[in-house]
């Protein structure tokens, strides 16, 4: 009978306590792995959102701030970028494509983005996938709108529905005189695009022609929706621009040129670099989260040690028998460490299984609640290393009671004490 | 041929006791000098002295003495679980007192079969697993039974009157005390160790079962050519043995030699 089998049978004999202990280890391992998955999943999803863009350009502020408001629609721009600057950048020889972004208005809680049709061609998510239309097409008419999947779902919009854009992000003044029409509905992307109403840059200009300082002109001085079509709707300023360069080698040159632009203070950032900065900022919270889940695993392992300790007195007879048939005290030590290791490994594996089950069940819900599509893939080196670490820590937790048993078997010899 | 057992000028005391010789031999196990239990649990510092005891091979010896007189202590010395502070313990010509604790454990595994009064078996393993248990720690015994370990275990069990179904499947805890004792004998005998040491193996049995148990044990020990040393507080069993020894005749004990 191998030592492994002996340990297994002994655990089986105490299956209730053993199972409870393993369950605690499983839950804590699941939590630890879950935090890891969400952490890496969130990072990957953020990175996916900016895939394909070489530079983000805006008025000079912080690079994280620029990234957050331009791509993730979090927070607001403090200043704009003039149309002249935009056109000058667009004319640079390094620039392959450029897409303007104009933010500031909203529709029933969703942000309205003014841009050009090129946005739908250039935007890339999840490792280079282009946007797809679930229905309709990019905007054609001045008052056409293209809505994200979540906007359509939440508000129940179909093609042809009328949309009224509100001025600002949380205000009661609406651009009611110039309604839009839903011309296209995008496929779900798991990015902020899902929660955005897209209109043309000219339309943004059009609904604001008769507004000054956040208020519309009095009744008589207003411009009607039909009159506006005839006007020159070139914007004065935009919020930001996404830029693609012809060659990756030119990114830094163009970035320097923009950052040193003499006419107005501008900022160009590499999305990846800005993301790194963002992760550095949230790093503390991340570390805290990992530390807490690590602590939970430690607690479960202390429970394991307590279980082995509690069983020692009842198992003195077993130890005397093993000693009588020739087991060395160190064999008894090894046996207890083996038990602890087997139990923690079983717990850790169960935790991994539990995580996969939870991921599969909760994935659609997490996606719709936070736009986070968590990847379900075979456990990688990192997960396996974590599992091994839990098992090793289990062995370590089994060591104190095992040492106690070793001392007991030395003192007791073959004397059976119960 | 060396006798099955020879003790000379052996002196042993629990407590103060097992520190010195263990730390001298050092190899393998560390000295239990740090074992707090040895000192604190030394119940009155029991000490035992045996001037001489010799048992010939194949002999069946009965050693009796009242409870607490030191019989189990003597067996612990013979089995090499405890090492004497002075004197010599030889089993089949091998001087245990010269061996390291680890070598003594190995020697016990290979050459000695032990039967206790009760609770002989790992309760969660089957009788078969219990019978095979010593082979795990004794490569030479394992080699001797070879591939037929299982068959040999079943043969012994059958010879000791244990139903095969019981041996194969039931967890040991479900066996009656008498059956457990017979499983313990099968375990002591498997692989043919030279010396069977039994510590009050019949005390938990009723009188009728005691006789039957001893007959079975003797028959199997004889066919294996093993020497039997059995201790008991019950002198009534003496008649069934080749020789009967009172512990008081061969040993001096004291309780005040406290650590
Ligand atoms: N492992 C041990 N540690 C300390 N003292 C022991 C141990 N085993 C036995 N003793 C002591 O040795 C003395 C003799 O006990 P024992 O040899 O078991 O007697 P018997 O087997 O004749 O009943 C007792 O006083 C007992 O307390
Ligand atoms: Mg005794």
């Amino acid at each position: 009978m191998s030592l492994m089998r002996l340990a297994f049978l002994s655990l089986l004999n105490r299956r209730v306590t053993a199972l409870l202990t393993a369950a605690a280890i499983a839950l804590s391992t699941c939590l630890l792995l879950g935090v890891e998955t969400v952490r890496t999943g969130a990072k990957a999803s953020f990175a996916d959102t900016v895939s394909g863009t070489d530079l983000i350009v805006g008025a000079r502020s912080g690079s994280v701030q620029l990234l957050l408001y331009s791509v993730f629609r979090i927070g607001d721009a403090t200043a704009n970028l003039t149309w002249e600057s935009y056109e000058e950048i667009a004319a640079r020889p390094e620039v392959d494509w450029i897409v303007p972004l104009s933010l500031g208005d909203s529709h029933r809680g969703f942000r309205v983005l003014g841009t050009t049709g090129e946005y739908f061609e250039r935007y890339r998510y999840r490792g280079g996938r282009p946007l797809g239309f679930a229905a309709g097409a990019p905007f054609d008419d001045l008052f056409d709108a293209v809505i994200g999947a979540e906007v359509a779902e939440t508000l129940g919009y179909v093609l042809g529905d009328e949309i009224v854009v509100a001025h600002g992000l949380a205000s009661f003044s609406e651009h009611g005189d110039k309604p839009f029409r839903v011309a296209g509905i995008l496929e779900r992307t798991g990015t902020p695009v899902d929660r955005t109403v897209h209109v043309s840059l000219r339309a943004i200009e059009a609904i604001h022609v008769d507004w000054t300082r956040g208020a519309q002109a009095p009744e008589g001085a207003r411009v009607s929706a039909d009159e506006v079509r005839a006007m020159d709707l070139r914007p004065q300023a935009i919020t930001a621009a996404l830029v693609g360069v012809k060659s990756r080698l030119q990114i830094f040159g163009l970035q320097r040129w923009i950052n040193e632009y003499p006419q107005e203070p501008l900022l160009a950032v590499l999305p990846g670099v800005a993301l790194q900065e963002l992760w550095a900022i949230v790093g503390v919270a991340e570390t805290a989260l990992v530390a807490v889940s690590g602590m939970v695993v430690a607690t479960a392992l202390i429970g394991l040690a307590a279980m082995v300790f509690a069983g020692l007195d009842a198992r003195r007879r077993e130890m005397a028998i093993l000693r009588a048939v020739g087991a060395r005290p160190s064999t008894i030590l090894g046996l207890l460490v083996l038990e602890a290791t087997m139990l923690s490994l079983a717990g850790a594996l169960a935790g991994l299984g539990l995580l996969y089950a939870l991921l599969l069940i909760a994935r659609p819900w997490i996606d719709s609640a936070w736009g986070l599509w968590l990847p379900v893939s075979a456990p990688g080196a990192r997960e396996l290393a974590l599992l091994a670490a839990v098992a090793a820590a289990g062995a370590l937790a089994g060591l104190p009671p095992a040492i106690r048993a070793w001392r007991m078997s030395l003192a007791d010899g073959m004397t059976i004490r119960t | 041929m060396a006798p099955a057992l020879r003790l000379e000028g052996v002196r042993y005391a629990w407590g103060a006791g097992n520190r010195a010789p263990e730390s001298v031999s050092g190899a393998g196990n560390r000295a239990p000098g740090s074992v707090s239990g040895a000192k604190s649990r030394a119940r009155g510092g029991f000490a035992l002295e045996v001037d001489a005891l010799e048992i010939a091979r194949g002999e069946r010896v009965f050693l009796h003495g009242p409870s607490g007189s030191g019989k189990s202590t003597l067996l612990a010395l013979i089995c090499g679980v405890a090492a004497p502070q002075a004197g010599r313990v030889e089993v089949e010509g091998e001087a245990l007192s010269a061996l390291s604790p680890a070598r003594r454990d190995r020697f016990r595994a290979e050459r000695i079969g032990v039967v206790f009064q009760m609770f002989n078996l790992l309760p969660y393993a089957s009788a078969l697993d219990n019978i095979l248990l010593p082979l795990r720690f004794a490569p030479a015994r394992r080699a001797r039974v070879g591939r037929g370990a299982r068959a040999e275990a079943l043969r012994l069990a059958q010879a000791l009157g244990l139903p095969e179904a019981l041996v194969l499947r039931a967890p040991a805890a479900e066996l009656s005390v008498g059956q457990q004792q017979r499983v313990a004998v099968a375990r002591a005998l498997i692989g043919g160790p030279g010396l069977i040491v039994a510590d009050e193996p019949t005390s938990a049995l009723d009188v009728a079962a005691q006789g039957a148990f001893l007959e079975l044990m003797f028959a199997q020990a004889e066919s294996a050519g093993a020497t039997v040393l059995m201790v008991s507080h019950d002198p009534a069993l003496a008649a069934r043995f080749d020789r009967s020894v009172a512990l008081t005749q061969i040993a001096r004990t004291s309780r005040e030699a406290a650590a």
Side-chain angles (χ1 to χ4, degrees):
Chain A
M1 188 151 69
S2 70
L3 222 51
M4 193 93 103
R5 173 121 191 277
L6 210 58
F8 176 73
L9 288 175
S10 169
L11 284 174
L12 200 65
N13 190 42
R14 291 166 291 146
R15 53 185 151 271
V16 177
T17 37
L19 264 180
L20 286 175
T21 310
I25 296 172
L27 280 180
S28 64
T29 309
C30 180
L31 178 68
L32 183 66
L33 290 174
V35 165
E36 269 307 296
T37 309
V38 172
R39 211 161 66 99
T40 48
K43 285 191 182 181
S45 139
F46 268 65
D48 279 348
T49 305
V50 292
S51 67
T53 300
D54 292 322
L55 285 174
I56 304 171
V57 183
R60 188 165 300 163
S61 57
S63 50
V64 172
Q65 195 190 356
L66 173 58
L67 173 80
L68 287 180
Y69 72 66
S70 64
V71 179
F72 296 102
R73 322 275 138 79
I74 298 169
D76 295 298
T78 44
N80 285 334
L81 166 76
T82 62
W83 188 248
E84 285 69 33
S85 306
Y86 171 82
E87 291 202 304
E88 209 169 321
I89 295 167
R92 293 289 303 173
E94 300 97 324
V95 173
D96 180 26
W97 55 265
I98 184 162
V99 173
L101 306 176
S102 181
L103 291 154
D105 284 343
S106 67
H107 172 69
R108 299 179 64 179
F110 294 102
R111 302 229 179 181
V112 172
L113 169 69
T115 184
T116 57
E118 203 172 359
Y119 179 84
F120 304 109
E121 288 158 34
R122 294 300 177 187
Y123 188 87
R124 291 286 182 279
Y125 70 102
R126 251 176 228 173
R129 265 192 265 175
L131 291 175
F133 278 81
F139 24 76
D140 179 28
D141 182 69
L142 180 63
F143 291 112
D144 275 355
V146 170
I147 58 177
E150 198 178 324
V151 180
E153 203 176 289
T154 312
L155 303 178
Y157 287 163
V158 294
L159 291 185
D161 281 358
E162 214 168 69
I163 286 183
V164 170
V165 171
H167 188 74
L169 295 178
S171 87
F172 297 105
S173 37
E174 295 193 321
H175 300 287
D177 56 336
K178 300 182 186 72
F180 287 81
R181 188 185 62 88
V182 176
I185 298 173
L186 294 170
E187 277 167 4
R188 186 172 279 279
T189 62
T191 69
V193 169
D194 295 349
R195 295 184 295 278
T196 304
V197 174
H198 308 79
V199 300
S200 71
L201 205 55
R202 292 176 66 246
I204 293 284
E205 203 52 35
I207 57 180
H208 290 108
V209 278
D210 46 7
W211 285 61
T212 40
R213 295 172 201 277
Q216 199 171 13
E219 288 289 344
R222 289 188 184 175
V223 182
S224 80
D226 285 329
E227 288 165 333
V228 85
R229 289 176 188 276
M231 297 173 68
D232 172 23
L233 292 172
R234 196 137 46 104
Q236 266 142 34
I238 56 170
T239 314
L242 304 180
V243 178
V245 293
K246 287 180 183 137
S247 152
R248 308 218 105 233
L249 297 174
Q250 298 168 328
I251 294 179
F252 293 103
L254 182 61
Q255 183 188 26
R256 192 171 331 110
W257 184 84
I258 294 171
N259 286 339
E260 289 166 1
Y261 187 68
Q263 274 75 20
E264 68 174 319
L266 294 182
L267 175 69
V269 298
L270 281 81
V273 174
L275 265 182
Q276 285 311 314
E277 261 179 60
L278 179 63
W279 299 139
I281 295 167
V282 298
V284 180
E286 256 183 84
T287 313
L289 208 58
V290 173
V292 167
S293 45
M295 222 69 108
V296 175
V297 174
T299 311
L301 291 175
I302 289 171
L304 168 69
M307 174 209 138
V308 182
F309 261 123
L312 281 189
D313 265 331
R315 297 176 68 192
R316 287 187 131 171
R317 181 202 303 171
E318 189 183 322
M319 293 175 206
I321 293 165
L322 288 170
R323 288 285 280 139
V325 297
R328 294 160 55 170
S330 56
T331 310
I332 287 169
L333 181 131
L335 185 68
L336 292 198
V337 170
L338 187 64
E339 276 183 28
T341 313
M342 281 166 61
L343 204 58
S344 49
L345 187 63
L349 287 175
L352 183 69
L354 186 64
L355 177 71
Y356 277 113
L358 284 178
L359 271 182
L360 285 176
I361 295 168
R363 205 146 67 123
W365 180 76
I366 293 175
D367 185 32
S368 66
W370 294 301
L372 192 61
W373 186 249
L374 294 174
V376 178
S377 51
R382 206 183 155 77
E383 280 79 16
L384 294 181
L386 265 174
L387 291 187
V390 171
L396 213 61
L399 206 53
I403 287 172
R404 171 92 173 275
W406 175 75
R407 292 171 149 204
M408 273 163 59
S409 63
L410 266 179
D412 289 357
M414 305 192 303
T415 317
I416 293 188
R417 301 186 180 191
T418 42
Chain B
M1 193 155 69
L5 178 71
R6 180 175 19 220
L7 270 72
E8 256 175 36
V10 168
R11 217 199 83 80
Y12 180 75
W14 284 111
N18 36 6
R19 181 180 311 181
E22 302 245 356
S23 55
V24 168
S25 47
N29 291 338
R30 267 202 297 122
S34 55
V35 176
S36 54
K39 215 168 217 164
S40 60
R41 246 185 271 120
R43 290 167 287 182
F46 178 84
L48 175 83
E49 276 177 67
V50 180
D51 288 336
L53 173 66
E54 196 168 310
I55 296 174
R57 296 215 182 186
E59 217 182 347
R60 297 189 297 224
V61 176
F62 183 67
L63 183 71
H64 60 94
S67 284
S69 61
K71 303 184 296 296
S72 297
T73 303
L74 183 61
L75 293 189
L77 292 167
I78 291 168
C79 291
V81 170
Q85 278 93 38
R88 244 176 114 78
V89 178
E90 268 178 41
V91 176
E92 298 188 332
E94 181 92 46
L96 290 190
S97 26
L99 299 180
S100 70
R103 302 275 305 271
R104 292 201 305 270
D105 287 335
R106 176 69 185 276
F107 184 85
R108 175 172 68 260
E110 295 284 8
R111 311 280 285 272
I112 303 177
V114 180
V115 183
F116 293 125
Q117 175 177 354
M118 56 195 302
F119 306 130
N120 264 293
L121 310 181
L122 299 178
Y124 44 78
S126 70
L128 181 65
D129 279 333
N130 269 287
I131 295 172
L132 294 173
L133 189 59
L135 301 185
R136 166 72 187 70
F137 303 100
R141 260 169 98 172
R142 191 161 63 221
R144 216 170 305 143
V145 284
R147 287 173 185 282
R150 209 182 123 92
E152 171 66 1
L154 289 173
R155 185 193 69 75
L156 278 167
Q158 201 201 8
L160 287 158
L162 293 162
E164 189 170 299
L166 202 68
V167 175
L168 283 179
R169 271 173 291 278
E174 284 173 21
L175 273 56
S176 75
V177 179
Q179 286 168 334
Q180 290 189 27
Q181 294 307 85
R182 280 177 279 158
V183 171
V185 171
R187 179 177 67 196
L189 285 166
I190 195 164
L195 177 64
I196 305 299
V197 166
D199 192 348
E200 315 230 19
T202 57
S203 300
L205 305 177
D206 55 54
V207 181
Q210 284 180 350
F213 172 81
L214 287 181
E215 288 315 318
L216 283 169
M217 181 167 77
F218 287 157
Q220 290 311 308
E222 194 174 340
S223 74
T227 310
V228 176
L229 171 62
M230 174 174 143
V231 305
S232 176
H233 64 275
D234 181 5
L237 299 166
R240 298 175 183 270
F241 288 78
D242 296 338
R243 179 151 68 103
S244 166
V245 180
L247 189 71
T248 46
Q249 288 171 351
I250 59 158
R252 279 184 308 280
T253 60
S254 61
R255 292 193 175 273
E256 54 283 336

